[in-house]
Amino acid sequence: MSGEFQLEVRGVGKSFGELDVLRDVDLAVRPGEFAAVIGPSGSGKSTLFNIVSGLDRPTSGEVRVDGQVAFMPQKDLLFPWRTVLDNTALGLEAQGVRRREARRRAAGLFEAFGLDGFQSSYPFQLSGGMRQRAALLRTVVLERPVLLLDEPFGALDSLTRTEMQLWLADVWQRYRWTVVLVTHDIREAVLLADTVHVLSPRPASVVKRIEVPLPRPRRAEAVTEPEFAAVERRVLDARNWAVR
């Protein structure tokens, strides 16, 4: 694959019987880039993630990834009978890392993820936002170069969602992972991403790639700036054009 990109999706199509879900999807993400994928409900965003993560195979086209992919689904999927620390170490243990070492590596991220002091707590004792942080920590501790985030804040209330978006922007600024975020929220996409890829309705293809030239770090007040509104409008226009 090209050394310019960490992830390349080239001409990917996916059909389930006679149902075409994806058609000729092209998507390229550079190392350290935060990319957002936005599209209407049922357009195949999650199907695309399943293919990129290796959970499914494309009917046509190819996916090339420089390194391995870590996938965080919409639900946190924390096990209620395991402590938060044990939950965050679970992925490492599944890869064969010894339990003591897995817990040590996960524990080293608790402060950065705002979870310090909750290592021995259980998921029911955490807020929705904290559960999502734990789920992301479990994903990140695998140390894979590409992170796929499938609407991670979709189930949160508006206030918590905004708080988590700003937190993710800050923690990404610190670690500079290569991230692909699926979302239906245009404001979330513009606030977090370097590029926004707009999908058409099913069968989905990328109809527009929009650069987000806003300075970082981005704060809550960024959404009130004219430059932010201008990018939002470009994404909205592209989405509206795609669904006509």
Side-chain angles (χ1 to χ4, degrees):
M1 69 181 292
S2 169
E4 183 182 359
F5 299 111
Q6 188 101 52
L7 167 67
E8 289 183 277
V9 177
R10 296 299 182 204
V12 163
K14 181 63 181 180
S15 300
F16 297 95
E18 296 183 355
L19 178 64
D20 291 334
V21 178
L22 303 175
R23 179 180 294 167
D24 294 328
V25 174
D26 291 319
L27 179 71
V29 184
R30 294 180 175 85
E33 179 180 340
F34 198 127
V37 177
I38 192 166
S41 296
S43 62
K45 299 185 296 295
S46 295
T47 299
L48 176 61
F49 262 22
N50 286 339
I51 292 172
V52 173
S53 64
L55 296 175
D56 202 351
R57 292 179 177 271
T59 305
S60 59
E62 62 178 349
V63 175
R64 299 181 179 182
V65 183
D66 185 7
Q68 293 182 302
V69 171
F71 182 19
M72 177 179 167
Q74 294 179 27
K75 296 182 180 180
D76 61 65
L77 302 179
L78 300 178
F79 290 123
W81 60 87
R82 294 177 70 109
T83 66
V84 177
L85 179 56
D86 285 338
N87 265 290
T88 56
L90 185 59
L92 289 172
E93 291 181 48
Q95 291 185 344
V97 177
R98 292 181 178 235
R99 185 169 183 266
R100 182 189 296 271
E101 174 61 13
R103 286 164 57 90
R104 184 193 67 79
R105 286 160 62 175
L109 292 172
F110 266 64
E111 183 176 358
F113 277 66
L115 293 169
D116 199 26
F118 291 89
Q119 287 87 339
S120 299
S121 300
Y122 288 87
F124 78 89
Q125 297 174 301
L126 303 184
S127 67
M130 293 177 74
R131 288 175 65 106
Q132 291 304 99
R133 291 187 191 194
L136 183 58
L137 192 161
R138 180 187 57 201
T139 305
V140 165
V141 77
L142 297 175
E143 297 183 342
R144 295 178 178 175
V146 179
L147 300 183
L148 305 180
L149 309 181
D150 189 358
E151 298 199 46
F153 310 138
L156 302 178
D157 64 82
S158 178
L159 185 61
T160 305
R161 185 185 183 107
T162 300
E163 176 187 320
M164 289 298 298
Q165 290 165 352
L166 295 171
W167 170 80
L168 179 57
D170 283 341
V171 76
W172 173 84
Q173 189 86 13
R174 175 174 177 178
Y175 290 100
R176 290 288 182 163
W177 310 299
T178 301
V179 175
V180 185
L181 168 77
V182 157
T183 180
H184 65 274
D185 185 330
I186 292 176
R187 179 159 293 184
E188 178 173 88
V190 175
L191 180 63
L192 291 173
D194 299 308
T195 55
V196 180
H197 305 257
V198 182
L199 293 182
S200 68
R202 189 176 66 236
S205 61
V206 177
V207 297
K208 193 78 171 179
R209 177 185 181 276
I210 297 170
E211 297 277 351
V212 184
L214 304 175
R216 293 187 185 272
R218 297 174 191 163
R219 304 301 181 196
E221 56 271 18
V223 301
T224 66
E225 298 293 332
E227 296 84 358
F228 191 99
V231 180
E232 269 191 310
R233 171 53 60 183
R234 290 183 63 202
V235 177
L236 181 61
D237 287 348
R239 188 190 68 176
N240 290 343
W241 178 84
V243 299
R244 287 176 185 173

